[in-house]
Amino acid sequence: MIGTTGTTGTPATTGAAGTAAPSPGVAAEAVDLVKVHGTGEGEVRAVDGISVRIAAGSFTAVMGASGSGKSTLMHCMAGLDRPTAGRVAIGGTDLTTLRDNELTRIRRERIGFVFQSFNLLPTLTAQENILLPLDLAGTAVDGARFTALVGSLGLQDRLSHRPAELSGGQQQRVAIARALITLPDVVFADEPTGALDSRTGAALLAYLRLCVREAGQTVVMVTHDPMAAGYADRVLLLADGRIAGELQSPTPDEVLAALRTLGA
Ligand SMILES: Nc1ncnc2c1ncn2[C@@H]1O[C@H](COP(=O)(O)OP(=O)(O)OP(=O)(O)O)[C@@H](O)[C@H]1O
């Protein structure tokens, strides 16, 4: 069943326009968010006034047709892209007012991002790519955590390989390990199962669920796959840069039905 439509939504999960105070239990928040790409004739309103709160320790899937604004929303919420209007916050810190160096620090310390295109550095090995965020932050590697992470992603035999020597699915898993190695409060993952076969994809989704349940991390994932969305506590449905509906703990069939209703 599709829930509240529009940008105001239910008070428990969505909205709070204009409030500057941190919201307890909210890991990430967008308020009246607008992102326009390009100028003049080529202008695209990719996000068109979205307000949403993501509860701490929750697993959210973001779905919608190609071009509905999913990646743009994630990029803005993760501080990778500056909004045109509105604001975004991580754990109560308003990212829109931060200077670039402060934003970089928050991203490094509190946010993990898995890009659709992986964004691995071609000259570094898989291990060096995974450890890069720790190197950049000057933080020591927790050997046990590293071993557990690469083990659960099935990467232990691939650590000395460079990205060009890895399959698409292996590159995707390296990108996921890199996003998780710092134990970020919020993990944004743009189609993390897109390059994975169904068995590896299911293992990854189970692992992300574990991150939420055991470590209290917050996961926000873009996916086109109703099966993947079935792992989430909540599914946000986007259409034309707006929230067109949402589902709570849906089955894959319910997700599919909602997408059909949307025409996605
Ligand atoms: N850098 C950019 N410059 C111009 N237009 C852009 C840019 N990035 C995205 N867009 C446009 O903004 C709209 C939303 O794009 P976005 O990538 O956020 O959609 P999406 O829902 O993630 O799509 P997909 O499922 O295909 O990845 C699209 O019309 C897209 O062409």
Side-chain angles (χ1 to χ4, degrees), residues 12-14 23-29 52-60 77 91 185-186 212 216-220 233-234 236 248:
T13 52
T14 315
S23 316
V26 176
E29 185 173 19
V52 66
R53 284 175 169 178
I54 307 293
S58 67
F59 191 167
T60 302
M77 290 190 79
D185 294 340
V186 191
V212 169
Q217 288 171 282
T218 304
V219 177
V220 185
D233 304 314
R234 180 186 185 201
L236 296 176
Q248 301 293 335

Side-chain angles (χ1 to χ4, degrees), residues 35-39 42-47 62-75 81 116 190-191 222-224 238 241:
K35 178 67 187 179
V36 177
H37 292 298
T39 52
E43 190 175 290
V44 179
R45 219 171 159 80
V47 171
V62 180
M63 304 190 83
S66 179
S68 58
K70 303 179 295 295
S71 296
T72 304
L73 173 66
M74 298 259 288
H75 285 209
D81 220 349
Q116 217 176 70
D190 201 346
E191 296 195 46
V222 168
T223 184
H224 287 283
L238 260 57

Side-chain angles (χ1 to χ4, degrees), residues 193 196-207 231:
T193 58
L196 304 182
D197 61 68
S198 57
R199 191 178 55 83
T200 318
L204 170 68
L205 292 163
Y207 187 75
Y231 284 75

